[in-house]
Amino acid sequence: MDANQNSEAGTGPAHDGAGRITVRDSRDADVPAMLAIYLHHIRRGVDPGLDAGVFETPDAEDIKRRRKNMQKRKMPHIVAEENGVALGYAYAVPFRKRPAYRYAVKHSIYVHNDHLRRGVGRLLMAALIDACAAAGFRQMIGYIDGANQASLGLHERFGFRQVGYLPSIGYKFGHWTDTVMMQRSLGPGGTEPPQI
């Protein structure tokens, strides 16, 4: 899960006087905005001065390819927009590639830095949970920076619970960072076999 989650609860449309924020399936036309949002958070999440050659950043074609691959596999890839402007996006990918894990997904949500705390993350989370449940997935997993209290709180409000903790797994800004693994059931979860 991206570290830039909004901390508001609830699932209705967000309003703040600027307009109505809606969530829809992503399109190729959204790729430039999604790439800009993603690159901002990737670059913000590493030490200043770190050689850009140390990590790979995607380009527009990478995002298009990933998006199309997810759609072929019936994985949700959604955008929150207001007045035609993408404010954030979210998607789910398989938790593991092996067939035994085909009913579990992990998710990511990215919100434009100028639109944090407006309900964008909340709307994307609600829509992503609904889309994953409707597609027949049974478990949803997120990885959150242990210091990101807003994102941890958002996950808890949406029924996620901590199922793992990875101490000192990352290093940025001169100190080690922890990662929290959170999970929630979708639909009947593990209480009954999947419909084949």
Side-chain angles (χ1 to χ4, degrees), residues 3 12 14 16 23 25 55-57 78 105 118 139 148 165 196:
D16 68 353
V23 177
D25 289 337
F55 59 94
E56 283 187 41
T57 57
I78 57 178
V105 293
R118 290 189 58 209
Q139 300 294 329
N148 190 338
Y165 190 80
I196 302 203

Side-chain angles (χ1 to χ4, degrees), residues 39-115:
L39 289 177
H40 169 83
H41 293 301
I42 291 297
R43 291 177 179 142
R44 187 177 148 265
V46 297
D47 299 312
L50 184 65
D51 179 16
V54 171
F55 59 94
E56 283 187 41
T57 57
D59 60 21
E61 290 307 310
D62 292 328
I63 300 283
K64 283 182 186 177
R65 188 171 41 257
R66 289 178 195 178
R67 195 182 141 271
K68 283 186 168 92
N69 187 33
M70 286 179 225
Q71 288 176 328
K72 278 189 227 173
R73 300 175 86 179
K74 309 283 188 226
M75 309 293 286
H77 197 287
I78 57 178
V79 166
E81 73 171 1
E82 179 182 49
N83 300 322
V85 176
L87 309 180
Y89 70 103
Y91 58 87
V93 297
F95 174 64
R96 295 279 186 265
K97 291 183 180 178
R98 299 206 183 269
Y101 303 104
R102 66 190 176 278
Y103 297 104
V105 293
K106 59 183 177 178
H107 68 284
S108 294
I109 298 177
Y110 295 95
V111 177
H112 191 288
N113 194 55
D114 293 340
H115 298 282

Side-chain angles (χ1 to χ4, degrees), residues 2-194:
D2 181 68
N4 295 291
Q5 273 296 337
N6 170 316
S7 63
E8 298 173 42
T11 58
H15 300 276
D16 68 353
R20 181 182 173 93
I21 301 171
T22 58
V23 177
R24 59 166 172 78
D25 289 337
S26 68
R27 303 186 282 251
D28 275 351
D30 299 316
V31 168
M34 290 188 296
L35 182 61
I37 291 166
Y38 182 74
L39 289 177
H40 169 83
H41 293 301
I42 291 297
R43 291 177 179 142
R44 187 177 148 265
V46 297
D47 299 312
L50 184 65
D51 179 16
V54 171
F55 59 94
E56 283 187 41
T57 57
D59 60 21
E61 290 307 310
D62 292 328
I63 300 283
K64 283 182 186 177
R65 188 171 41 257
R66 289 178 195 178
R67 195 182 141 271
K68 283 186 168 92
N69 187 33
M70 286 179 225
Q71 288 176 328
K72 278 189 227 173
R73 300 175 86 179
K74 309 283 188 226
M75 309 293 286
H77 197 287
I78 57 178
V79 166
E81 73 171 1
E82 179 182 49
N83 300 322
V85 176
L87 309 180
Y89 70 103
Y91 58 87
V93 297
F95 174 64
R96 295 279 186 265
K97 291 183 180 178
R98 299 206 183 269
Y101 303 104
R102 66 190 176 278
Y103 297 104
V105 293
K106 59 183 177 178
H107 68 284
S108 294
I109 298 177
Y110 295 95
V111 177
H112 191 288
N113 194 55
D114 293 340
H115 298 282
L116 297 174
R117 291 178 247 323
R118 290 189 58 209
V120 177
R122 171 179 46 88
L123 290 174
L124 286 166
M125 178 72 87
L128 196 60
I129 288 169
D130 289 348
C132 287
F137 296 107
R138 296 295 187 86
Q139 300 294 329
M140 186 177 228
I141 296 154
Y143 294 93
I144 302 107
D145 185 309
N148 190 338
Q149 293 302 313
S151 185
L152 292 168
L154 178 70
H155 279 77
E156 287 171 359
R157 283 189 286 284
F158 274 94
F160 285 82
R161 63 184 176 84
Q162 182 176 326
V163 295
Y165 190 80
L166 304 169
S168 303
I169 197 79
Y171 188 82
K172 58 185 179 180
F173 305 115
H175 67 276
W176 292 101
T177 61
D178 306 332
T179 294
V180 176
M181 183 179 183
M182 299 188 83
Q183 179 178 347
R184 70 157 281 162
S185 294
L186 301 171
T191 63
E192 62 184 57

